[in-house]
Amino acid sequence: MNIIFLIIAVFTVAMALYAVMTKDRTMAVLAAGATGLFASILFVMMAAPDVAMTEAAIGSGLTTFIFFFALRKVKRGQKNG
Amino acid sequence: MEMTGAVLALIGSIIFFLSALGLIRMPDLYNRIQTGTKATTLGTIILSIGLCLIHPEWTGKLVILILFIVLTNPISSHVVARGAHYSGQEMTDKTVGDALTEEDKDKEGTP
Amino acid sequence: MVKKGFILLMIVALGFMLWDFVGNYSSKTELADVSSHYVEQGPEELGAANVVTSVVVTYRGLDTLGEVTILFAAAAVVGLLLHLNRNENEQRREGSELLKTGTALLFPLILLFGVYVFINGHLTPGGGFQGGAIIASAVVLSVLSDPNKKAGHTALTVIESLSGLTYVLLGAAGAILAVNGFLDNRILPLGEYGSLLSAGLIPAIYSVVGLKVGSELSSVVISFKGDSKEEEV
Amino acid sequence: MIGTMAIITGSLLILIGLWGLLSNKDIIRMIVGFSLFDVGIHIVMLSIGYINGGTAPIVEKLSDLGKTYVDPVPQALVLTAIVIGLGITAFMLTYAVNMYLKKGTLDIDKFEELKW
Amino acid sequence: MADQILMVAVLISLLSIGVILIRFILGPSVLDRVVAFDTAGIIAISVIVLLAHMLERFIYVDVALVYGLLSFIGVLVVARYHERGL
Amino acid sequence: MKMKTALISVVLGLLFWFGLNGRLETGVLISGIVVVAIAAAFHVKDAVFGDVKFSPRAFIAFIAWLVVFVGELIKSNIDVMLRVISPKVRINPAIVEVKTKLKTPLGRLALANSITLTPGTLTTDIKGDSLFIHWIDASSTDVEGATKAIVAKFEKQLEVVFG
């Protein structure tokens, strides 16, 4: 069990590092979403299924969607000058 | 029964691994989508059937999970492929024909 | 350059503080007083299998009321600010036919799943907030398949205010009729443990919260999307 | 063991998030850093309530009452925190979009009215 | 015996997620990463189902359902954003 | 047509609801009826199942399609795996155009999904009667040959069920 937890924790941290390091805005947002999804597996293993569900649905899901809606507004504005 | 289920789950995970390998090895996006979608769909189905054998009382929810994945996975890969095509994603050099681009050009040519 | 050094210094300082914290950490082996009361007495006292739900809805019910209020304020401000500053002049590309058919097929099933999540909040993981988020995801799906469709703002507002009102009224009913004050669930019989209609008012309260959160989050999504056709008129 | 690993992961996420929040000039990526910071704090909070060998506090049958359960109170708090985090993120993004529409850029250094 | 085989299955699934994350980091385009994200999400669903077996709690399967739904819609959002359809 | 959609939607919704809940109780039934009614209202508005045919022949065709589909799914995976494992990636990809006779939205969705899940093909776009398919090992790039190779095996059954 410990080793599974360790591997997923490494994935989570790697995704977070990638989100901070990358130059591309879109990729930063997507990697943050992936961090949330992996964190929700961590929550399952920490015996908190309620929190895992909330993190998957709200923290990772809806937040990422709203980020993309906002990015679309910004990108479109850039094109129009 | 338990052993059969466990072996099925193992087969599912091996299919996952092969799809991951395909994702690394394939030369362009469309071929990556091909390996990614199909293999993970079958892998999930086999793994869920294996767990159904281990825990018969889980069957209801796992069947819903399988149905959901079989329904959504092709749609999402179709949308990704379509988005790739319309955002001008390049195809690999080995490609022998592209009917969709020709079709689009025909439309633009005849207003 | 000075700024970068300052940032690094700050992060290192925080890192030292956290290092101290991590070094002194050891996982507990038994619960604190309040928590052990919740876990040991809660299921029999309130009839809800999911202790987290009984903490969120009943024991700490007032917190949840505040949380819902904050979410409502955030949704209102987002709607207001995005409404003031709109520039929508580019038509979006239509979704493909397959996506539209798939959405027509899946949208009601996702709604059904959202309802399942919040109505079973006292038995399985999940509850009003998660169910509301799933309903909002269904709205996102329909926005994706047809971005130029006009959204029903009025229906969302009506559902939102009605469920908010019902929530407060149910809480007040708990305060008047039952022993323990605001948002007590025991004005209905507790029912048979582990069945859907048990735990008194908890399923009702969580359904109301789910509807409220779902309509609020949907209205946030719709304000971020913006109505492109409205401006042309 | 899981608790210790979790608290280390959470602390690392906090530091990474803080770094992203402070070192970027792009507002959207600052908000991404903030949401990473959020996830880290949630993991730390949950690891404080973790009991070794505990299972989820969902008592399916009344005969299960004697088992070891993890602490439900931090879970309820984190649940609240995630939902409010969404509200805050939506709010910040609205501000970012509005500032962008006013100025035409997302670079934080260009917003000179904010300095003092 | 069955439990050891399932443990191996989980480890192989995690290894495949790791391999896919290499593709996620390599890119080269945004949509390549989206495909990697999609595949990793579906494998993670199976990991959650296997974890539900190993922790002996049936109710964790609910989390897997929510996870699948959200990763599906997430992929759609990014793809539609990329083809300017959002 | 509306009745048919409502009927299929209610049956599907109830199956879904009981599968999720996993037990038979009065509470589940009462809440299920309310929720499924709302879901069915959405289905009726879009008339999703309006063209599904009810007849013994359609049922047999559906089963036949299912059998063909599962067989193709397994074949496709073996095919893809061999491609992945083989030391030199041997592919010959192309986007080809195929024609379909199916007219109803649900039938086209089923066709496109089955094509996506079968050996080496992926639906890229759909315009009118033409499906544009990315084929990992294109043996013929003209419309007739591709249609025969890709679509024909599913279309016969789906035409009976969805029209």
Side-chain angles (χ1 to χ4, degrees), chain B residues 13-77:
Chain B
S13 64
I14 290 172
I15 293 175
F16 286 153
F17 182 70
L18 288 174
S19 90
L21 215 61
L23 217 57
I24 288 287
R25 289 196 61 196
M26 285 295 167
D28 76 341
L29 174 65
Y30 301 95
N31 296 314
R32 281 178 203 140
I33 298 175
Q34 298 248 12
T35 51
T37 317
K38 289 186 242 289
T40 46
T41 311
L42 187 72
T44 314
I45 292 173
I46 290 180
L47 198 142
S48 306
I49 291 173
L51 278 166
C52 284
L53 291 180
I54 299 177
H55 299 274
E57 70 274 15
W58 293 17
T59 310
K61 252 176 215 175
L62 288 178
V63 165
I64 285 177
L65 188 66
I66 292 174
L67 276 183
F68 188 75
I69 292 210
V70 170
L71 210 57
T72 59
N73 218 341
I75 296 181
S76 73
S77 61

Side-chain angles (χ1 to χ4, degrees), chain B residues 2-3 6-7, chain E residues 1-8:
Chain B
E2 259 193 21
M3 280 308 292
V7 170
Chain E
M1 189 59 197
D3 280 348
Q4 274 90 16
I5 294 178
L6 284 172
M7 187 75 191
V8 174

Side-chain angles (χ1 to χ4, degrees), chain E residues 19-85:
Chain E
V19 172
I20 288 167
L21 289 189
I22 296 175
R23 173 52 73 194
F24 189 92
I25 288 170
L26 285 180
S29 74
V30 172
L31 286 168
D32 284 302
R33 296 185 167 108
V34 173
V35 174
F37 180 80
D38 185 17
T39 317
I42 294 165
I43 299 178
I45 294 170
S46 305
V47 172
I48 293 181
V49 175
L50 287 171
L51 280 176
H53 164 79
M54 296 169 93
L55 298 167
E56 289 169 357
R57 297 303 294 264
F58 169 46
I59 45 182
Y60 292 173
V61 178
D62 279 23
V63 183
L65 279 166
V66 176
Y67 200 102
L69 176 67
L70 268 300
S71 88
F72 162 62
I73 299 179
V75 170
L76 289 190
V77 167
V78 189
R80 293 283 288 151
Y81 164 76
H82 205 76
E83 64 167 338
R84 298 185 168 276

Side-chain angles (χ1 to χ4, degrees), chain C residues 146-166:
Chain C
D146 194 359
N148 298 316
K149 195 166 55 184
K150 248 180 109 117
H153 272 295
T154 334
L156 281 181
T157 322
V158 169
I159 294 175
E160 203 269 321
S161 15
L162 271 184
S163 47
L165 187 69
T166 321

